[in-house]
Coordinates of all heavy atoms in Angstrom, one line a residue:
M9 N -61.5 62.1 3.7 CA -60.3 61.8 4.5 C -59.1 62.5 3.9 O -58.8 62.5 2.7 CB -60.1 60.3 4.4 CG -58.8 59.9 5.1 SD -58.5 58.1 4.9 CE -56.8 58.0 5.3
A10 N -58.5 63.3 4.8 CA -57.3 64.0 4.3 C -56.1 63.1 4.1 O -55.8 62.2 4.9 CB -56.9 65.1 5.4
I11 N -55.4 63.3 3.1 CA -54.2 62.5 2.8 C -53.0 63.4 3.2 O -52.8 64.5 2.7 CB -54.1 62.2 1.3 CG1 -55.3 61.3 0.9 CG2 -52.8 61.5 1.0 CD1 -55.4 61.1 -0.6
T12 N -52.3 62.8 4.2 CA -51.1 63.6 4.7 C -49.9 62.9 4.3 O -49.7 61.7 4.5 CB -51.2 63.7 6.2 OG1 -52.4 63.2 6.6 CG2 -51.1 65.2 6.6
K13 N -49.0 63.6 3.7 CA -47.7 63.1 3.4 C -46.6 63.9 4.1 O -46.7 65.2 4.1 CB -47.5 63.1 1.9 CG -48.4 62.1 1.2 CD -48.1 62.1 -0.3 CE -49.0 61.2 -1.1 NZ -48.8 61.2 -2.5
Y14 N -45.6 63.3 4.5 CA -44.5 64.0 5.1 C -43.2 63.5 4.4 O -43.1 62.3 4.0 CB -44.3 63.6 6.6 CG -45.3 64.4 7.4 CD1 -46.6 64.0 7.5 CD2 -44.9 65.5 8.2 CE1 -47.5 64.7 8.3 CE2 -45.8 66.2 8.9 CZ -47.1 65.9 9.0 OH -48.0 66.6 9.7
T15 N -42.3 64.4 4.2 CA -41.1 64.1 3.5 C -39.9 64.2 4.4 O -39.8 65.1 5.2 CB -40.9 64.9 2.2 OG1 -39.8 64.5 1.5 CG2 -40.8 66.4 2.5
C16 N -39.0 63.3 4.2 CA -37.7 63.4 5.0 C -36.8 64.5 4.3 O -36.5 64.4 3.2 CB -37.0 62.0 4.9 SG -35.4 62.0 5.7
L17 N -36.4 65.4 5.2 CA -35.6 66.5 4.7 C -34.1 66.0 4.4 O -33.4 66.6 3.7 CB -35.5 67.6 5.7 CG -36.8 68.3 6.0 CD1 -36.7 69.3 7.1 CD2 -37.3 69.1 4.7
V18 N -33.8 64.8 4.9 CA -32.5 64.3 4.7 C -32.3 63.6 3.4 O -31.4 63.8 2.6 CB -32.1 63.4 5.9 CG1 -30.7 62.8 5.7 CG2 -32.2 64.2 7.2
C19 N -33.3 62.6 3.1 CA -33.1 61.8 2.0 C -34.2 61.9 0.9 O -34.1 61.4 -0.2 CB -32.9 60.3 2.4 SG -34.4 59.6 2.9
G20 N -35.3 62.6 1.3 CA -36.4 62.8 0.4 C -37.4 61.7 0.4 O -38.4 61.7 -0.3
Y21 N -37.3 60.8 1.3 CA -38.3 59.7 1.5 C -39.6 60.4 1.9 O -39.7 61.3 2.6 CB -37.9 58.8 2.6 CG -39.0 57.8 3.0 CD1 -39.2 56.6 2.4 CD2 -39.7 58.1 4.2 CE1 -40.2 55.8 2.8 CE2 -40.7 57.3 4.6 CZ -41.0 56.1 3.9 OH -42.0 55.3 4.3
V22 N -40.7 59.9 1.3 CA -42.0 60.4 1.6 C -42.8 59.4 2.4 O -43.0 58.3 1.9 CB -42.8 60.8 0.3 CG1 -44.2 61.2 0.6 CG2 -42.0 61.9 -0.4
Y23 N -43.2 59.8 3.6 CA -44.1 58.9 4.4 C -45.6 59.2 3.9 O -46.0 60.4 4.0 CB -44.0 59.2 5.9 CG -45.0 58.4 6.6 CD1 -44.8 57.0 6.9 CD2 -46.2 58.9 7.1 CE1 -45.7 56.3 7.6 CE2 -47.2 58.2 7.7 CZ -46.9 56.8 8.0 OH -47.8 56.1 8.6
D24 N -46.2 58.2 3.5 CA -47.6 58.4 3.0 C -48.5 57.6 4.0 O -48.4 56.4 4.2 CB -47.8 57.8 1.6 CG -49.1 58.2 1.0 OD1 -50.1 58.4 1.8 OD2 -49.2 58.2 -0.2
S25 N -49.4 58.4 4.7 CA -50.3 57.7 5.7 C -51.1 56.6 5.1 O -51.6 55.8 5.8 CB -51.1 58.8 6.4 OG -52.0 59.4 5.4
V26 N -51.4 56.7 3.8 CA -52.2 55.7 3.1 C -51.5 54.3 3.2 O -52.1 53.3 3.4 CB -52.5 56.1 1.7 CG1 -53.2 54.9 1.0 CG2 -53.4 57.3 1.6
H27 N -50.2 54.4 3.0 CA -49.4 53.1 2.9 C -48.8 52.7 4.3 O -48.5 51.6 4.5 CB -48.3 53.2 1.9 CG -48.8 53.5 0.5 ND1 -49.6 52.7 -0.2 CD2 -48.7 54.6 -0.3 CE1 -50.0 53.2 -1.4 NE2 -49.4 54.4 -1.4
G28 N -48.6 53.7 5.1 CA -47.9 53.4 6.4 C -46.5 53.0 6.2 O -45.9 53.3 5.2
D29 N -46.0 52.3 7.1 CA -44.6 51.8 7.0 C -44.6 50.3 7.6 O -44.1 50.1 8.7 CB -43.6 52.7 7.8 CG -42.2 52.2 7.7 OD1 -41.9 51.4 6.8 OD2 -41.4 52.6 8.5
P30 N -45.1 49.4 6.8 CA -45.3 48.0 7.2 C -44.0 47.4 7.7 O -44.0 46.6 8.7 CB -45.8 47.3 6.0 CG -46.4 48.3 5.2 CD -45.6 49.6 5.4
D31 N -42.8 47.8 7.1 CA -41.6 47.2 7.5 C -41.2 47.5 9.0 O -40.5 46.8 9.6 CB -40.4 47.8 6.6 CG -40.5 47.2 5.2 OD1 -41.3 46.2 5.0 OD2 -39.9 47.8 4.3
Q32 N -41.8 48.6 9.5 CA -41.5 49.0 10.9 C -42.8 48.8 11.7 O -42.9 49.4 12.8 CB -41.0 50.4 11.0 CG -39.6 50.6 10.3 CD -39.0 51.9 10.7 OE1 -38.4 52.1 11.7 NE2 -39.1 52.9 9.8
G33 N -43.7 48.1 11.2 CA -44.9 47.8 12.0 C -45.9 48.9 12.0 O -46.8 48.9 12.9
I34 N -45.8 49.8 11.1 CA -46.8 50.9 11.0 C -47.9 50.5 10.0 O -47.6 50.4 8.8 CB -46.1 52.2 10.6 CG1 -44.9 52.6 11.5 CG2 -47.2 53.3 10.6 CD1 -45.3 52.7 12.9
A35 N -49.1 50.3 10.5 CA -50.2 49.9 9.6 C -50.6 51.0 8.6 O -50.5 52.1 8.9 CB -51.4 49.5 10.5
P36 N -51.0 50.5 7.4 CA -51.6 51.5 6.5 C -52.7 52.3 7.1 O -53.5 51.8 7.8 CB -52.1 50.6 5.3 CG -51.3 49.4 5.4 CD -51.0 49.2 6.9
G37 N -52.7 53.6 6.8 CA -53.7 54.5 7.4 C -53.3 55.2 8.6 O -54.0 56.0 9.2
T38 N -52.1 54.9 9.1 CA -51.6 55.5 10.3 C -51.1 56.9 9.9 O -50.2 57.1 9.1 CB -50.4 54.7 10.9 OG1 -50.8 53.4 11.2 CG2 -49.9 55.4 12.2
L39 N -51.7 57.9 10.6 CA -51.3 59.3 10.3 C -49.9 59.6 10.9 O -49.5 58.9 11.8 CB -52.3 60.3 11.0 CG -53.7 60.3 10.4 CD1 -54.6 61.2 11.2 CD2 -53.7 60.7 8.9
F40 N -49.2 60.5 10.2 CA -47.9 60.8 10.7 C -47.9 61.2 12.2 O -47.0 60.9 12.9 CB -47.3 62.0 9.8 CG -45.8 62.3 10.1 CD1 -44.8 61.5 9.5 CD2 -45.5 63.3 11.0 CE1 -43.5 61.8 9.7 CE2 -44.1 63.6 11.2 CZ -43.1 62.8 10.6
D41 N -48.9 62.0 12.5 CA -49.0 62.4 13.9 C -49.1 61.3 14.9 O -48.9 61.4 16.1 CB -50.2 63.4 14.1 CG -49.9 64.7 13.5 OD1 -48.7 65.0 13.2 OD2 -50.8 65.5 13.2
D42 N -49.6 60.1 14.4 CA -49.8 59.0 15.3 C -48.6 58.0 15.3 O -48.7 57.0 16.0 CB -51.1 58.2 14.8 CG -52.3 59.0 15.0 OD1 -52.3 59.9 15.9 OD2 -53.3 58.8 14.3
L43 N -47.6 58.4 14.6 CA -46.4 57.5 14.6 C -45.7 57.5 16.0 O -45.8 58.6 16.6 CB -45.4 58.0 13.5 CG -45.8 57.7 12.1 CD1 -44.8 58.4 11.2 CD2 -45.9 56.3 11.8
P44 N -45.1 56.4 16.4 CA -44.4 56.4 17.7 C -43.2 57.4 17.6 O -42.7 57.6 16.5 CB -43.9 55.0 17.8 CG -44.0 54.4 16.4 CD -45.1 55.1 15.7
E45 N -42.9 58.0 18.7 CA -41.9 59.0 18.7 C -40.5 58.5 18.3 O -39.6 59.2 17.9 CB -41.8 59.6 20.1 CG -42.9 60.6 20.4 CD -42.7 61.3 21.7 OE1 -41.6 61.3 22.3 OE2 -43.7 61.9 22.2
D46 N -40.3 57.2 18.5 CA -39.0 56.6 18.1 C -39.0 56.1 16.7 O -38.0 55.5 16.2 CB -38.6 55.5 19.1 CG -39.6 54.3 19.1 OD1 -40.7 54.5 18.4 OD2 -39.4 53.3 19.7
W47 N -40.0 56.4 15.9 CA -40.1 56.0 14.5 C -39.0 56.8 13.8 O -38.8 58.0 14.0 CB -41.5 56.3 13.9 CG -41.6 55.8 12.5 CD1 -41.9 54.6 12.0 CD2 -41.4 56.6 11.3 NE1 -41.9 54.6 10.7 CE2 -41.6 55.8 10.2 CE3 -41.1 58.0 11.1 CZ2 -41.5 56.3 8.9 CZ3 -41.0 58.5 9.8 CH2 -41.2 57.6 8.7
T48 N -38.3 56.2 12.9 CA -37.3 56.9 12.1 C -37.5 56.6 10.6 O -38.2 55.6 10.2 CB -35.9 56.4 12.5 OG1 -35.8 55.0 12.4 CG2 -35.6 56.8 13.9
C49 N -36.9 57.4 9.8 CA -37.0 57.2 8.4 C -36.5 55.9 8.0 O -35.4 55.5 8.3 CB -36.1 58.3 7.7 SG -36.0 58.1 5.9
P50 N -37.3 55.1 7.2 CA -36.9 53.7 6.8 C -35.7 53.7 5.9 O -35.0 52.7 5.8 CB -38.1 53.2 6.1 CG -39.0 54.3 5.9 CD -38.6 55.5 6.8
K51 N -35.4 54.9 5.3 CA -34.3 54.9 4.3 C -33.0 55.3 5.0 O -31.9 54.8 4.7 CB -34.6 55.8 3.2 CG -35.5 55.2 2.1 CD -35.4 55.9 0.8 CE -36.1 55.2 -0.3 NZ -36.0 55.9 -1.6
C52 N -33.0 56.4 5.7 CA -31.8 57.0 6.3 C -31.8 57.0 7.8 O -30.7 57.4 8.3 CB -31.5 58.4 5.7 SG -32.7 59.6 6.3
G53 N -32.9 56.7 8.4 CA -32.8 56.7 9.9 C -33.0 58.0 10.6 O -32.8 58.1 11.8
A54 N -33.4 59.0 9.8 CA -33.6 60.3 10.4 C -34.8 60.3 11.3 O -35.8 59.6 11.1 CB -33.8 61.4 9.3
P55 N -34.8 61.1 12.4 CA -35.9 61.1 13.4 C -37.1 61.9 12.8 O -37.0 62.6 11.8 CB -35.3 61.8 14.6 CG -34.2 62.7 14.0 CD -33.6 61.9 12.8
L56 N -38.2 61.8 13.6 CA -39.4 62.4 13.2 C -39.2 63.9 12.9 O -39.8 64.5 12.0 CB -40.5 62.2 14.3 CG -41.1 60.9 14.4 CD1 -42.0 60.8 15.6 CD2 -42.0 60.6 13.2
M57 N -38.4 64.5 13.7 CA -38.2 66.0 13.6 C -37.6 66.4 12.3 O -37.6 67.6 12.0 CB -37.4 66.5 14.8 CG -36.0 65.9 14.9 SD -35.1 66.5 16.4 CE -34.8 68.2 15.9
D58 N -37.0 65.5 11.6 CA -36.4 65.8 10.3 C -37.4 65.7 9.2 O -37.0 65.8 8.0 CB -35.2 65.0 10.1 CG -34.0 65.4 10.8 OD1 -34.0 66.6 11.3 OD2 -33.0 64.7 11.0
F59 N -38.6 65.5 9.5 CA -39.7 65.4 8.5 C -40.5 66.7 8.4 O -40.7 67.3 9.4 CB -40.6 64.2 8.7 CG -40.1 62.9 8.2 CD1 -39.0 62.3 8.9 CD2 -40.6 62.2 7.1 CE1 -38.5 61.0 8.5 CE2 -40.1 61.0 6.7 CZ -39.0 60.4 7.4
T60 N -40.9 67.0 7.2 CA -41.8 68.1 7.1 C -43.0 67.8 6.3 O -43.0 66.9 5.4 CB -41.0 69.3 6.4 OG1 -41.8 70.5 6.5 CG2 -40.7 69.0 5.0
E61 N -44.1 68.4 6.6 CA -45.4 68.1 5.9 C -45.4 68.5 4.5 O -44.9 69.6 4.1 CB -46.5 68.8 6.7 CG -47.9 68.3 6.2 CD -49.0 68.9 7.0 OE1 -48.7 69.7 7.9 OE2 -50.2 68.5 6.8
V62 N -45.9 67.6 3.6 CA -46.0 68.0 2.2 C -47.5 68.4 2.0 O -48.4 67.6 2.2 CB -45.7 66.8 1.3 CG1 -46.0 67.2 -0.2 CG2 -44.3 66.3 1.5
V63 N -47.7 69.7 1.7 CA -49.0 70.2 1.5 C -49.3 70.2 0.0 O -48.6 70.6 -0.8 CB -49.1 71.7 2.0 CG1 -50.5 72.2 1.9 CG2 -48.7 71.8 3.5
R64 N -50.5 69.6 -0.3 CA -50.8 69.4 -1.6 C -50.8 70.6 -2.5 O -50.3 70.7 -3.6 CB -52.3 68.8 -1.7 CG -52.3 67.5 -2.4 CD -53.6 66.7 -2.1 NE -53.4 65.3 -2.1 CZ -53.4 64.6 -3.2 NH1 -53.7 65.2 -4.4 NH2 -53.3 63.3 -3.2
N65 N -51.4 71.7 -2.0 CA -51.5 72.9 -2.8 C -50.2 73.6 -3.1 O -50.1 74.3 -4.0 CB -52.4 73.9 -2.0 CG -53.9 73.4 -1.9 OD1 -54.3 72.5 -2.7 ND2 -54.6 73.9 -1.0
T66 N -49.2 73.3 -2.2 CA -47.9 74.0 -2.4 C -46.8 73.0 -2.7 O -45.7 73.2 -2.4 CB -47.6 74.8 -1.2 OG1 -47.6 74.0 -0.1 CG2 -48.5 76.0 -1.0
S67 N -47.2 71.8 -3.3 CA -46.3 70.8 -3.5 C -45.3 71.2 -4.6 O -44.2 70.6 -4.7 CB -47.0 69.5 -3.9 OG -47.7 69.7 -5.1
E68 N -45.6 72.2 -5.4 CA -44.7 72.6 -6.4 C -43.7 73.6 -5.8 O -44.1 74.6 -5.3 CB -45.5 73.4 -7.5 CG -44.8 73.4 -8.8 CD -45.8 73.8 -10.0 OE1 -46.8 73.2 -10.1 OE2 -45.4 74.8 -10.6
V69 N -42.5 73.2 -5.8 CA -41.5 74.0 -5.1 C -40.8 74.9 -6.1 O -40.2 75.9 -5.6 CB -40.4 73.1 -4.4 CG1 -41.1 72.4 -3.3 CG2 -39.8 72.1 -5.4
I70 N -40.8 74.7 -7.3 CA -40.2 75.6 -8.3 C -41.2 76.3 -9.1 O -42.1 75.8 -9.7 CB -39.3 74.8 -9.3 CG1 -38.3 73.9 -8.5 CG2 -38.6 75.7 -10.3 CD1 -37.2 74.7 -7.8
I71 N -41.2 77.6 -9.0 CA -42.1 78.5 -9.7 C -41.4 79.2 -10.8 O -40.4 79.9 -10.6 CB -42.8 79.5 -8.8 CG1 -43.7 78.8 -7.7 CG2 -43.6 80.5 -9.6 CD1 -44.3 79.7 -6.7
E72 N -41.8 79.0 -12.0 CA -41.2 79.7 -13.1 C -42.0 80.9 -13.5 O -43.2 80.9 -13.8 CB -41.2 78.7 -14.4 CG -40.1 77.6 -14.2 CD -39.9 77.0 -15.6 OE1 -40.2 77.5 -16.6 OE2 -39.3 75.9 -15.5
E73 N -41.3 82.0 -13.4 CA -42.0 83.3 -13.6 C -42.0 83.6 -15.1 O -41.1 83.3 -15.9 CB -41.2 84.4 -13.0 CG -41.3 84.4 -11.4 CD -40.5 85.5 -10.8 OE1 -39.8 86.2 -11.5 OE2 -40.6 85.7 -9.6
E74 N -43.2 84.1 -15.5 CA -43.3 84.4 -17.0 C -42.4 85.6 -17.3 O -42.2 86.5 -16.5 CB -44.8 84.9 -17.2 CG -45.8 83.8 -17.0 CD -45.7 82.8 -18.1 OE1 -45.4 83.1 -19.2 OE2 -46.0 81.6 -17.8
P75 N -41.8 85.5 -18.5 CA -40.9 86.6 -18.9 C -41.8 87.9 -19.1 O -42.9 87.8 -19.5 CB -40.3 86.2 -20.2 CG -41.2 85.0 -20.7 CD -41.8 84.4 -19.4
V76 N -41.1 89.0 -18.8 CA -41.8 90.3 -18.9 C -42.1 90.6 -20.4 O -41.2 90.4 -21.3 CB -41.0 91.4 -18.3 CG1 -41.8 92.8 -18.5 CG2 -40.7 91.2 -16.9
K77 N -43.3 91.0 -20.8 CA -43.7 91.2 -22.1 C -42.8 92.2 -22.9 O -42.4 92.0 -24.0 CB -45.1 91.7 -22.2 CG -46.1 90.6 -22.2 CD -47.6 91.2 -22.3 CE -48.6 90.0 -22.2 NZ -50.0 90.6 -22.3
D78 N -42.4 93.3 -22.2 CA -41.6 94.3 -22.9 C -40.2 93.8 -23.1 O -39.4 94.4 -23.8 CB -41.6 95.6 -22.1 CG -43.0 96.2 -22.0 OD1 -43.8 95.9 -22.9 OD2 -43.3 96.9 -21.0
E79 N -39.8 92.8 -22.3 CA -38.4 92.3 -22.5 C -38.4 90.8 -22.8 O -38.2 90.0 -21.9 CB -37.7 92.5 -21.2 CG -37.5 94.0 -20.8 CD -37.0 94.2 -19.4 OE1 -37.7 94.0 -18.4 OE2 -35.8 94.6 -19.3
P80 N -38.7 90.5 -24.1 CA -38.8 89.1 -24.5 C -37.5 88.3 -24.3 O -37.6 87.1 -24.2 CB -39.2 89.2 -25.9 CG -38.8 90.6 -26.4 CD -38.9 91.5 -25.2
T81 N -36.4 89.0 -24.3 CA -35.1 88.3 -24.2 C -34.7 88.1 -22.7 O -33.7 87.5 -22.5 CB -34.0 89.1 -24.9 OG1 -33.9 90.4 -24.4 CG2 -34.3 89.1 -26.4
K82 N -35.5 88.6 -21.8 CA -35.1 88.5 -20.4 C -35.1 87.0 -20.0 O -36.0 86.2 -20.3 CB -36.1 89.2 -19.6 CG -35.7 89.4 -18.1 CD -36.7 90.2 -17.3 CE -36.2 90.4 -15.9 NZ -37.3 91.1 -15.1
V83 N -34.1 86.7 -19.3 CA -33.9 85.3 -18.8 C -35.0 85.0 -17.7 O -35.2 85.8 -16.9 CB -32.5 85.1 -18.2 CG1 -32.4 83.7 -17.7 CG2 -31.5 85.4 -19.2
I84 N -35.6 83.9 -17.9 CA -36.6 83.5 -16.9 C -35.9 83.1 -15.6 O -35.0 82.3 -15.6 CB -37.4 82.3 -17.4 CG1 -38.1 82.6 -18.7 CG2 -38.4 81.8 -16.4 CD1 -38.8 81.4 -19.4
K85 N -36.4 83.8 -14.6 CA -35.8 83.5 -13.3 C -36.6 82.4 -12.6 O -37.8 82.3 -12.6 CB -35.9 84.8 -12.4 CG -34.9 85.8 -12.8 CD -35.0 87.0 -11.8 CE -34.1 88.2 -12.3 NZ -34.4 89.4 -11.5
K86 N -35.9 81.6 -11.9 CA -36.5 80.5 -11.2 C -36.5 80.9 -9.7 O -35.5 81.2 -9.2 CB -35.8 79.2 -11.4 CG -36.1 78.6 -12.7 CD -35.5 77.1 -12.8 CE -35.9 76.5 -14.2 NZ -35.4 75.2 -14.3
K87 N -37.6 80.8 -9.2 CA -37.8 81.2 -7.8 C -38.0 79.9 -6.9 O -38.8 79.1 -7.2 CB -39.0 82.1 -7.6 CG -39.0 82.9 -6.3 CD -40.2 83.8 -6.3 CE -40.3 84.6 -5.0 NZ -41.5 85.5 -5.0
K88 N -37.2 79.8 -5.9 CA -37.3 78.6 -5.1 C -38.1 79.0 -3.9 O -37.9 80.0 -3.2 CB -35.9 78.2 -4.6 CG -35.7 76.7 -4.5 CD -34.3 76.3 -4.2 CE -34.1 74.8 -4.2 NZ -32.8 74.4 -3.8
V89 N -39.1 78.2 -3.7 CA -40.0 78.4 -2.5 C -39.8 77.3 -1.5 O -39.8 76.1 -1.8 CB -41.5 78.4 -3.0 CG1 -42.4 78.5 -1.8 CG2 -41.7 79.5 -4.0
E90 N -39.5 77.7 -0.3 CA -39.3 76.7 0.7 C -40.6 76.1 1.3 O -41.5 76.8 1.4 CB -38.5 77.3 1.9 CG -37.0 77.5 1.5 CD -36.2 78.0 2.7 OE1 -36.7 77.8 3.8 OE2 -35.1 78.4 2.5
L91 N -40.5 74.8 1.5 CA -41.7 74.2 2.0 C -41.8 74.6 3.5 O -40.8 74.9 4.2 CB -41.5 72.6 2.0 CG -41.7 72.0 0.6 CD1 -41.3 70.5 0.7 CD2 -43.1 72.1 0.1
P92 N -43.0 74.8 4.0 CA -43.2 75.3 5.3 C -42.7 74.2 6.3 O -42.9 73.1 6.2 CB -44.7 75.4 5.5 CG -45.3 74.6 4.4 CD -44.3 74.6 3.3
K93 N -41.9 74.7 7.2 CA -41.3 73.8 8.2 C -42.3 73.6 9.4 O -43.0 74.6 9.8 CB -40.0 74.4 8.8 CG -38.8 73.8 8.2 CD -37.6 74.1 9.0 CE -36.3 73.5 8.4 NZ -35.1 73.8 9.2
K94 N -42.5 72.4 9.8 CA -43.4 72.1 10.9 C -42.7 72.3 12.2 O -41.8 71.5 12.5 CB -44.0 70.7 10.7 CG -45.1 70.5 11.7 CD -45.7 69.1 11.5 CE -46.7 68.8 12.6 NZ -48.0 69.4 12.3
N95 N -43.0 73.4 12.8 CA -42.4 73.7 14.1 C -43.1 72.9 15.2 O -44.3 72.6 15.1 CB -42.4 75.1 14.4 CG -41.6 75.9 13.4 OD1 -40.5 75.5 13.0 ND2 -42.1 77.1 13.1
E96 N -42.4 72.6 16.2 CA -43.0 71.9 17.4 C -43.9 72.9 18.1 O -43.4 73.9 18.5 CB -41.9 71.3 18.3 CG -41.2 70.2 17.6 CD -40.4 69.4 18.6 OE1 -39.3 69.8 19.0 OE2 -40.9 68.3 19.0
E97 N -45.1 72.5 18.2 CA -46.0 73.4 18.9 C -46.6 72.8 20.2 O -46.8 71.6 20.2 CB -47.2 73.9 18.0 CG -46.7 74.8 16.9 CD -47.7 74.9 15.8 OE1 -48.4 74.0 15.5 OE2 -47.8 76.0 15.2
Ligands
ZN117 ZN1 -34.7 59.9 5.3

């Protein structure tokens, strides 16, 4: 069973299909795709469209690059990787 998590881009709340959202009548095990269209973020009230899928393999958003061997004093650059936005298809 695939575990799907979606995060609110507004407040960072994570919807976990395993837990659902009992406070709003969403039973545990309800996939994000099966949420009613009027479901909103329990924390900030953002609509479904403000959520983006959290993909397990790319959950790490900050990638630290190894310093170049020839330049040991080089400052490590932090690269920010944007989570893929779920476009309406
Ligand atoms: Zn939110």
Side-chain angles (χ1 to χ4, degrees):
M9 176 183 160
I11 298 172
T12 354
K13 293 182 181 179
Y14 281 77
T15 184
C16 174
L17 294 173
V18 178
C19 73
Y21 167 85
V22 174
Y23 176 81
D24 190 333
S25 62
V26 174
H27 301 296
D29 180 17
D31 289 345
Q32 295 193 80
I34 307 300
T38 303
L39 294 175
F40 187 83
D41 288 341
D42 293 334
L43 290 173
E45 283 184 19
D46 60 351
W47 183 85
T48 55
C49 175
K51 277 198 172 180
C52 72
L56 286 171
M57 59 183 290
D58 281 342
F59 277 72
T60 188
E61 188 173 6
V62 178
V63 182
R64 239 164 208 276
N65 294 337
T66 57
S67 60
E68 203 168 305
V69 291
I70 305 292
I71 294 175
E72 287 195 17
E73 292 180 353
E74 295 288 329
V76 181
K77 276 183 181 178
D78 296 336
E79 297 172 287
T81 55
K82 191 178 180 183
V83 179
I84 299 172
K85 288 182 184 173
K86 284 190 178 179
K87 196 176 180 182
K88 216 174 186 184
V89 178
E90 287 189 11
L91 288 172
K93 265 196 176 178
K94 188 177 176 79
N95 297 320
E96 292 195 280
E97 289 166 327

